[in-house]
Amino acid sequence: MGLWDRALDAAGVSDPQLREDYTQQRKLVAGYRRSSYLAVRLLLPPPLLPHVIAATAFMHRTDTLLDSGPVAERAGACAEWVKEVRDGLAGGESDHAAVRPLLHTVSAHPGMRGRVEDFLDAAAMELEFTGFATEADYQRYVDAYALPAFMLIAGLIAGEDPATGHREACRMYIDGSQRLDFVNDLAEDLADGRLNLVRATLDAHGVTRTDLENARDTPAIRSLLAHLLGEARESLSNSRSLVGLAPPEGRPLFRAMIEIELLTATAAATKGPGLLRTPARPPLPATARVLLRERRRTRHPR
């Protein structure tokens, strides 16, 4: 019996159809961001693994529906998905293969219901997103959308009685992670017609959208990218308090997440204006060292 089957057993997933549903969600998550999936698979206790996979798949599916295609089509697809999930939560069952694992996870972890509802409520904001004029606009986005998304996973790991300050530490982490993503995904976002950087910050550095779209290598762009990545690194470094506020079994994963994000920020800084053509990736050997170190710590959580 493999690790995944043992994890399904430990999580109380016995029905063959439901096991297949969870397995399909695992494949989706593994294909989305391999390093994050490996971290979860290696570092979480087996009883938590399928539930975190289900939460991650739900978040990613929702996010993809919000971002893909013309606005009118996105609105319709998102409304249909939100109704599917809400109907499932109300009735406790669903014919949708992507909803059934989420419902089982909610039944196993009742606190998850409120976090799912919060995230669904936030979906409308992401659907209407047109960019950030000011830093205050970005901060509202973190509170209204990015943090509820992260709490789907962080809340599962924290359990039903999280430590005081846990949510604030989660916010610090997701602020840094979101800042990093918006810089590292510039090439992809611009190709899709999106610009997720604060316009006031662009103006302060004398950079235009056209400069970014044309992938210009100028002192202004180098200064802008260094500034943005510095902000991301500061928030990520300050979020290390999250490790101590997590239950012992969750600490290796949170440590790894923070360290891999910091490795990515370093790689992005090295790449510089090259980010306007392709994203940076954390070095594989360094990432492997982080995962192996934290894997050893799962045997003696602290």
Side-chain angles (χ1 to χ4, degrees):
M1 182 182 292
L3 171 63
W4 178 244
D5 285 325
R6 291 196 300 272
L8 290 172
D9 289 344
V13 183
S14 57
D15 178 77
Q17 180 60 65
L18 191 57
R19 289 172 77 92
E20 177 60 24
D21 293 337
Y22 270 97
T23 299
Q24 289 304 312
Q25 300 310 296
R26 178 179 69 94
K27 291 177 181 177
L28 291 173
V29 171
Y32 167 55
R33 185 173 287 186
R34 191 71 180 175
S35 61
S36 297
Y37 166 71
L38 286 174
V40 167
R41 185 168 183 249
L42 287 171
L43 304 179
L44 277 183
L48 263 180
L49 176 57
H51 298 307
V52 169
I53 290 292
T56 305
F58 163 64
M59 177 183 66
H60 179 54
R61 182 184 181 91
T62 307
D63 203 47
T64 299
L65 287 171
L66 291 169
D67 284 346
S68 303
V71 174
E73 292 179 13
R74 280 186 274 152
C78 184
E80 183 177 334
W81 171 244
V82 168
K83 183 178 186 304
E84 189 79 46
V85 176
R86 289 198 191 279
D87 287 350
L89 289 172
E93 58 184 29
S94 175
D95 294 329
H96 200 300
V99 177
R100 288 192 295 261
L102 180 69
L103 298 182
H104 181 77
T105 289
V106 168
S107 70
H109 297 268
M112 184 72 173
R113 177 181 294 270
R115 293 189 291 273
V116 170
E117 294 281 6
D118 288 345
F119 183 61
L120 291 175
D121 289 342
M125 176 182 182
E126 176 70 359
L127 191 63
E128 297 167 1
F129 176 75
T130 57
F132 308 116
T134 66
E135 175 66 17
D137 293 331
Y138 165 74
Q139 293 296 335
R140 282 191 288 271
Y141 171 88
V142 171
D143 286 324
Y145 185 76
L147 181 58
F150 182 59
M151 292 307 297
L152 290 169
I153 299 162
L156 270 175
I157 297 171
E160 301 301 314
D161 188 24
T164 301
H166 177 262
R167 188 177 179 88
E168 290 74 16
C170 286
R171 191 194 188 285
M172 183 66 72
Y173 169 81
I174 200 60
D175 173 63
S177 181
Q178 190 66 80
R179 288 182 190 274
L180 176 59
D181 280 352
F182 282 160
V183 179
N184 203 32
D185 294 342
L186 267 169
E188 178 183 335
D189 289 341
L190 288 167
D192 289 340
R194 297 190 304 273
L195 178 59
N196 296 323
L197 304 183
V198 174
R199 290 192 291 275
T201 305
L202 293 179
D203 293 343
H205 285 81
V207 173
T208 67
R209 181 173 185 143
T210 301
D211 293 333
L212 299 173
E213 290 174 336
N214 290 327
R216 291 173 180 156
D217 183 350
T218 67
I221 284 180
R222 287 181 174 274
S223 174
L224 170 70
L225 295 176
H227 170 77
L228 296 172
L229 291 169
E231 288 183 320
R233 288 191 65 89
E234 181 177 6
S235 290
L236 288 166
S237 295
N238 290 338
S239 74
R240 286 193 171 106
S241 62
L242 178 57
V243 175
L245 295 170
E249 61 271 19
R251 291 172 189 169
L253 177 62
F254 283 134
R255 263 193 303 261
M257 288 167 54
I258 293 167
E259 293 309 315
I260 290 172
E261 289 287 67
L262 287 168
L263 286 171
T264 305
T266 298
T270 301
K271 198 174 184 74
L275 292 172
L276 302 176
R277 300 189 185 280
T278 56
R281 295 286 180 259
L284 186 57
T287 300
R289 284 194 294 271
V290 170
L291 293 176
L292 290 172
R293 181 191 69 213
E294 296 305 331
R295 176 66 174 170
R296 288 193 292 270
R297 282 177 166 170
T298 63
R299 302 185 183 101
H300 306 284
R302 59 182 178 86

